[in-house]
Amino acid sequence: MKHFSKDTNIKLLLSDKNYKFGVGLWPPMHTVWPWKQKQLDNEYRKMRPGKALSGKAIFVLCIASFVAGSLFTSRTWTHYKNNNHNIPDDHFTNVAKITADCDHNKRKLVEGESVDIMGEVTKTHQALQSLDKTISALEMELAVARTSKSDEDGQNNKLELRASEKLKKMEKEKGIVIRFVIGHSATTGGVLDKAIDAEEEEHQDFLRLNHVEGYHQLSTKTRLYFSTAISIWDASFYVKVDDDVHLNLGMLVTSLARHRSKPRVYIGCMKSGPVLSQKGVKYHEPEYWKFGEEGNKYFRHATGQIYAISKDLAAYISINLPILHRYANEDVSLGAWFIGLEVEHVDDRSLCCGTPPDCEWKARAGKVCAASFDWSCSGICKSVERMKEVHSACGEGDDAL
């Protein structure tokens, strides 16, 4: 019965049945209804004038009453047993059945929920598999697109620069080492990695890092690049430049040579942009609160398209690699590593000229830019199509070195 303690309907049903069972069939012997009492009184008055009954008659009457009562009780019990208004024999069996049904339904509900959860897990797994296939397909398309770009505008100059014999000659005669710095994709050994391996074998101008490529991993890549480069090459300066920036190599070398005798030099186009706290926007800084109140600006640091650091600063990064904090933006991270050191910040505006007509006018005025790009694109907009055009208008000439 405790099983139904929270079910009011079942409690009332059982109480009503018990009331009928207890009172309707088994009234106490001392209880006499008013209408029955009046009938007995009348019978008693009728019997009083007559002759009193003998002991034998009373005894026979008692026996007859007992037999009649037994028959009446038996018939009444049978009648109620077969009557729809009474409790059937299997009443408590039915109650037990109801209990079992409730348990069964509860189990079905729980099992149903489990099935639904497993269904959601299966759907999620299928979605991830579909995403993996999409990524693999995009990698294949990218690899195909890269190989097919060889005939487009601007590619001939790039291939001439990447001729391995010319690179070796430049390293030997000028002491200038040029490498395309790259890690590997998230799917190691995938189509994209194989395409990079093939390109590296052909041109031999890659510096491969043990690093997973990704926009939010640029600070890690920068840290690892300087640490790896200084372990391979002994140079006065280590430069990072994006591949969609037009570079006049002769002007860059000339600019760096001016600072060769200075220790701990950090060269670039110095800026101090706003710290963006709003989520979802480009260059969002999750650790914005470290830079003061909302609306504050960063400390001075070189813009990320191109910058150079002296040998001792590269050594500092290599030695302290594990404890250099990485912010969301790579250029901010580099500036943060030097902000508390005795470092000379050199603001060289020739490293951030605009594309034509800006760099073209400066070249005509005898002030050839070391690097040119579009601020709106953080590089040259549509660089593959426009690189040759920019070089034609702003290039320093083939004899600059």
Side-chain angles (χ1 to χ4, degrees):
M1 298 304 298
K2 292 182 180 179
H3 180 80
F4 298 98
S5 60
K6 294 184 180 179
D7 192 330
T8 304
N9 293 330
I10 295 180
K11 274 186 68 176
L12 292 176
L13 175 64
L14 293 179
S15 296
D16 187 52
K17 292 285 187 181
N18 287 333
Y19 176 80
K20 290 180 180 179
F21 183 83
V23 177
L25 294 181
W26 301 101
M29 295 303 296
H30 64 271
T31 302
V32 181
W33 303 111
W35 60 271
K36 189 66 176 179
Q37 182 65 46
K38 185 176 181 181
Q39 182 180 357
L40 290 175
D41 290 344
N42 292 335
E43 292 295 329
Y44 179 73
R45 282 194 294 270
K46 290 179 182 178
M47 292 175 63
R48 286 185 65 184
K51 186 177 180 179
L53 294 174
S54 64
K56 184 176 181 180
I58 292 174
F59 177 77
V60 172
L61 180 60
C62 288
I63 295 297
S65 298
F66 176 80
V67 173
S70 299
L71 292 175
F72 175 78
T73 301
S74 177
R75 288 192 59 187
T76 303
W77 175 253
T78 304
H79 170 74
Y80 275 88
K81 183 176 179 181
N82 297 326
N83 195 298
N84 291 333
H85 296 289
N86 199 5
I87 302 175
D89 285 345
D90 60 346
H91 168 73
F92 290 102
T93 303
N94 290 338
V95 172
K97 183 179 180 182
I98 293 173
T99 305
D101 289 343
C102 288
D103 290 339
H104 175 68
N105 292 335
K106 184 176 180 181
R107 286 194 300 271
K108 281 185 65 179
L109 179 61
V110 173
E111 291 170 358
E113 292 176 350
S114 300
V115 171
D116 291 340
I117 293 173
M118 291 304 298
E120 292 299 324
V121 171
T122 301
K123 291 179 181 178
T124 303
H125 181 65
Q126 291 174 348
L128 290 174
Q129 288 181 328
S130 176
L131 182 60
D132 287 340
K133 291 179 180 178
T134 302
I135 292 174
S136 298
L138 289 174
E139 287 183 344
M140 293 180 65
E141 292 177 5
L142 179 60
V144 172
R146 285 192 173 197
T147 57
S148 64
K149 288 289 184 182
S150 59
D151 295 329
E152 293 188 11
D153 292 342
Q155 291 303 305
N156 291 333
N157 289 340
K158 187 175 180 181
L159 290 175
E160 288 177 6
L161 174 65
R162 293 185 62 177
S164 58
E165 292 301 324
K166 288 187 177 183
L167 288 178
K168 290 179 181 179
K169 184 178 180 180
M170 188 181 298
E171 289 181 23
K172 183 178 180 180
E173 296 180 359
K174 305 295 182 179
I176 300 172
V177 178
I178 298 176
R179 294 291 186 273
F180 290 89
V181 183
I182 193 168
H184 57 82
S185 66
T187 54
T188 306
V191 176
L192 186 57
D193 282 344
K194 291 179 180 178
I196 294 173
D197 292 340
E199 191 172 352
E200 179 184 11
E201 184 177 356
E202 179 183 356
H203 298 287
Q204 300 177 13
D205 57 2
F206 278 47
L207 172 59
R208 301 299 295 273
L209 302 177
N210 185 19
H211 167 74
V212 178
E213 290 288 346
Y215 177 77
H216 296 290
Q217 299 298 323
L218 290 178
S219 294
T220 302
K221 183 178 181 180
T222 300
R223 196 176 64 175
L224 187 57
Y225 158 62
F226 287 117
S227 177
T228 304
I230 196 173
S231 68
I232 300 174
W233 298 287
D234 182 15
S236 298
F237 291 94
Y238 297 85
V239 183
K240 177 260 182 182
V241 55
D242 289 347
D243 60 2
D244 56 353
V245 170
H246 177 263
L247 182 66
N248 281 321
L249 194 55
M251 283 302 303
L252 175 63
V253 171
T254 301
S255 296
L256 296 179
R258 298 192 190 107
H259 308 285
R260 183 175 296 173
S261 61
K262 300 176 183 179
R264 299 178 300 279
V265 183
Y266 173 34
I267 305 171
C269 287
M270 298 295 165
K271 66 174 185 177
S272 181
V275 181
L276 302 179
S277 59
Q278 184 180 356
K279 291 183 178 180
V281 300
K282 193 175 183 180
Y283 308 127
H284 165 64
E285 177 56 71
E287 297 182 87
Y288 62 89
W289 62 274
K290 290 184 178 181
F291 299 92
E293 300 298 328
E294 186 174 350
N296 280 7
K297 292 185 176 181
Y298 289 112
F299 41 77
R300 288 286 174 181
H301 61 280
T303 185
Q305 284 84 353
I306 179 173
Y307 48 74
I309 63 174
S310 55
K311 178 181 179 179
D312 43 4
L313 291 183
Y316 172 81
I317 293 175
S318 179
I319 294 170
N320 297 283
L321 185 72
I323 61 173
L324 294 177
H325 186 69
R326 294 158 294 170
Y327 290 101
N329 300 300
E330 158 231 347
D331 51 356
V332 173
S333 295
L334 184 69
W337 300 338
F338 303 147
I339 196 65
L341 304 180
E342 288 293 338
V343 174
E344 181 178 352
H345 289 57
V346 177
D347 184 18
D348 187 347
R349 308 314 291 182
S350 72
L351 295 175
C352 53
C353 295
T355 55
D358 182 36
C359 61
E360 185 177 11
W361 290 344
K362 290 177 180 178
R364 290 179 180 179
K367 297 181 179 180
V368 179
C369 294
S372 303
F373 56 88
D374 299 309
W375 284 103
S376 60
C377 298
S378 297
I380 296 178
C381 301
K382 299 181 180 179
S383 59
V384 173
E385 292 83 358
R386 295 182 58 224
M387 187 64 77
K388 186 176 181 179
E389 167 200 336
V390 174
H391 182 69
S392 237
C394 306
E396 59 189 353
D398 295 337
D399 300 328
L401 287 174

